[in-house]
Amino acid sequence: MLLLTGTKPSTAFGDTAATPGGLARISAVIPLKFDGWVPPSAADCLDSPVQPGAHRVRILLELTAVDAAGLSFDAESVPATLVFEVPNQAIPLVLDGPQEGAFISGNRAPRRAVKISPKLGVSAYLTRGYPRPSASGHHECIPTMEVVMTTGFDTRVQPTATTMAHLNVHVFGNLSVRRGSTVLHAHQLGGPKPRQIFEILLVNLGLPVSKDRLIELLWGANAPVEALPTLESYVSVLRRHLQPGAGKFGPLQTTTGGYVLDRDLVDVDLDQFDVLLQRAQKTLPGLAYPLLLRALDLAAAPLLGDELIPAWASEARDLHAARLTSARILASETAAALHRIDDALDFANLALTDEPLNERAWTALILSLEMSGRHAEGLQAYDRCRRAMQNELGCAPGAILRAAQLRLLHATADGDGDLADVLSALLTLHDQLRASRARGTVSRLATTTHPRPELVADSLREATDVVTSFLRRAVAHV
């Protein structure tokens, strides 16, 4: 809004009004505590604390000239940013320029001018733009203090600014937090309880956690009488370390009855792991494999390595362990699809180390062995799987594994040597028995007097002889 000296009313935001030597328009007036704007170069005055009962605002202008001589711009117009400190109440802001040009916000109170230097265009001023009473009862303006002027020569483009502190956090292994060039470690967050509050919010990134839930997780049944104010004081301590100077308007935010970490302002390796896994599950093997390698590389260290005792940390590790096993199995399956058999076997074995009864992991291992032509090893792996499932779960492997076993048996029987001969004989006996059972079932259904088919044939006797001979030789060498 702009006024020339006199009593003209202010214009609405976005309107253009004449100034001596050109035109100007006020685009916005934004409180810095919400906007989070910082200048592109250091400004000591902006680092000083805000006066009690006041706040800072950013006024966005668009100028063509600011004095009667008409400053020359290379562009059609120039965006400018001015920062003021104003009281926590509605008052007019007046900005007087050369030749009595003035910008004003509001027109209901007497105008209190803040002078602009003719250097506008290359510098700017943070002004405590509110009056203070003098001894005579009149209002005086606090003198201006030079800090920053943000102007550019790209038409209608605001300068680039960092809105809020952005955190990069590692929760795999030991906790570390990077904020710009500053790195914080677990012992630099204000103590064990503030650190644990932060970690709880990290494993629930973007999801509000109520104060009651935080108290329960931090203290369990031994919560102190003053748990709520104690929790709030811990959060204040944590904010001073994570987002100094930002108060409640940084990554750690207050929600109704609790707290939340803004996932737009916080990058966590645990969250990156989950995102990479989800993306890999929805794409083709060639694209999924590098995503899975990145995810597994992120999760190389244990989750929450600084929290070995709390139950909530153990629960978080258990939930992550299941996702980690899924990622390793998917990596094994994907590597096999890309004919990276050694990688497939490594990932499958890692998954089985995590979960020895995971049938999908056994399937990935056995199919990879089959694909690589290691049929005997595949049969041995199937036997370990069968025994583990029988002993621990009281069941047999599923249809996919049983079919794989049969293929492995036939493939081994087609080879050379004693083992191939014995397997071939066993398969013959198995086929004969299965055929006999089928004929017996049909016979019993048709009539109970039908004669039973002859089970002993030349091939059966030959197979029996092969197996018997093998067993005798094996026993003789024991």
Side-chain angles (χ1 to χ4, degrees):
M1 291 179 282
L2 178 143
L3 283 181
L4 300 181
T5 302
T7 58
K8 289 184 178 180
S10 61
T11 60
F13 278 154
D15 287 353
T16 301
T19 62
L23 301 175
R25 175 167 54 207
I26 293 184
S27 303
V29 177
I30 309 170
L32 257 65
K33 66 179 181 179
F34 298 125
D35 186 43
W37 178 86
V38 295
S41 57
D44 293 340
C45 197
L46 287 180
D47 293 332
S48 64
V50 180
Q51 295 293 305
H55 64 282
R56 287 175 181 161
V57 297
R58 182 163 66 111
I59 299 179
L60 306 183
L61 309 176
E62 191 172 18
L63 309 170
T64 59
V66 293
D67 62 22
L71 294 177
S72 174
F73 298 137
D74 293 336
E76 179 182 338
S77 63
V78 172
T81 298
L82 300 171
V83 179
F84 288 85
E85 193 167 294
V86 297
N88 296 332
Q89 61 187 45
I91 68 162
L93 282 179
V94 180
L95 188 60
D96 281 352
Q99 301 294 321
E100 304 300 329
F103 291 96
I104 182 171
S105 174
N107 62 348
R108 301 172 68 95
R111 296 172 60 220
R112 306 178 182 99
V114 179
K115 298 293 185 182
I116 290 184
S117 162
K119 292 190 296 180
L120 180 69
V122 293
S123 64
Y125 300 82
L126 171 67
T127 300
R128 305 200 188 286
Y130 55 94
R132 62 182 179 186
S134 65
S136 62
H138 293 83
H139 287 91
E140 299 176 351
C141 285
I142 297 174
T144 64
M145 296 179 293
E146 183 171 353
V147 262
V148 64
M149 171 68 177
T150 305
T151 59
F153 294 95
D154 294 329
T155 305
R156 307 183 199 290
V157 176
Q158 288 294 336
T160 301
T162 303
T163 55
M164 284 189 184
H166 197 101
L167 305 179
N168 287 280
V169 186
H170 294 280
V171 291
F172 290 118
N174 298 116
L175 179 68
S176 67
V177 183
R178 179 177 292 276
R179 185 188 65 242
S181 60
T182 300
V183 178
L184 302 174
H185 298 285
H187 65 281
Q188 297 173 302
L189 295 174
K193 284 292 190 284
R195 180 190 71 228
Q196 290 176 3
I197 292 169
F198 184 46
E199 290 168 331
I200 292 169
L201 295 175
L202 285 170
V203 298
N204 294 277
L205 183 64
L207 300 175
V209 182
S210 70
K211 295 179 182 179
D212 289 342
R213 179 60 175 160
L214 286 169
I215 290 172
E216 178 186 354
L217 294 175
L218 292 173
W219 288 289
N222 301 314
V225 176
E226 300 297 324
L228 182 57
T230 302
L231 172 68
E232 292 171 344
S233 68
Y234 285 151
V235 172
S236 296
V237 170
L238 184 58
R239 279 178 168 145
R240 287 199 296 271
H241 288 84
L242 292 177
Q243 49 203 52
K248 297 182 179 181
F249 300 100
L252 175 50
Q253 299 177 3
T254 300
T255 61
T256 303
Y259 304 99
V260 65
L261 285 174
D262 186 344
R263 68 183 309 134
D264 291 332
L265 298 176
V266 182
D267 289 330
V268 187
D269 50 4
L270 174 62
D271 183 62
Q272 294 169 14
F273 171 88
D274 290 334
V275 170
L276 289 168
L277 178 56
Q278 291 169 11
R279 288 174 55 193
Q281 290 168 336
K282 299 175 182 178
T283 190
L284 299 173
L287 300 175
Y289 195 60
L291 300 177
L292 291 165
L293 293 181
R294 285 169 54 194
L296 293 170
D297 184 59
L298 284 174
L303 179 64
L304 297 170
D306 297 297
E307 306 298 343
L308 302 179
I309 298 176
W312 61 264
S314 296
E315 182 180 345
R317 279 190 286 270
D318 290 342
L319 291 172
H320 168 68
R323 296 195 294 272
L324 180 60
T325 300
S326 294
R328 285 170 170 166
I329 294 172
L330 182 58
S332 176
E333 295 168 342
T334 305
L338 298 174
H339 302 285
R340 304 173 68 100
I341 303 302
D342 288 342
D343 291 348
L345 294 172
D346 289 342
F347 287 128
N349 281 313
L350 285 173
L352 287 170
T353 301
D354 297 336
E355 297 184 19
L357 298 176
N358 191 305
E359 186 167 353
R360 184 180 164 199
W362 280 111
T363 302
L365 175 66
I366 293 168
L367 293 183
S368 295
L369 289 169
E370 179 187 11
M371 183 180 297
S372 64
R374 295 154 68 173
H375 304 131
E377 291 181 55
L379 288 171
Q380 292 170 351
Y382 177 86
D383 187 59
R384 296 198 305 272
C385 171
R386 180 186 61 79
R387 292 177 182 274
M389 297 184 72
Q390 180 64 45
N391 294 338
E392 299 296 331
L393 303 177
C395 64
I400 294 177
L401 280 177
R402 292 199 304 272
Q405 183 210 22
L406 191 58
R407 291 195 303 272
L408 288 167
L409 287 169
H410 280 288
T412 305
D414 289 339
D416 296 324
D418 289 345
L419 179 60
D421 293 339
V422 172
L423 287 175
S424 179
L426 288 172
L427 288 171
T428 299
L429 293 171
H430 177 268
D431 291 341
Q432 290 285 357
L433 288 172
R434 185 168 57 181
S436 175
R437 291 193 191 101
R439 289 194 299 269
T441 300
V442 173
S443 175
R444 287 192 298 272
L445 290 176
T447 175
T448 59
T449 61
H450 194 282
R452 186 175 182 182
E454 178 62 46
L455 294 176
V456 180
D458 291 342
S459 61
L460 184 57
R461 283 193 297 271
E462 181 181 349
T464 303
D465 292 341
V466 169
V467 174
T468 301
S469 174
F470 180 83
L471 291 174
R472 287 174 179 169
R473 284 182 283 127
V475 170
H477 288 83
V478 172

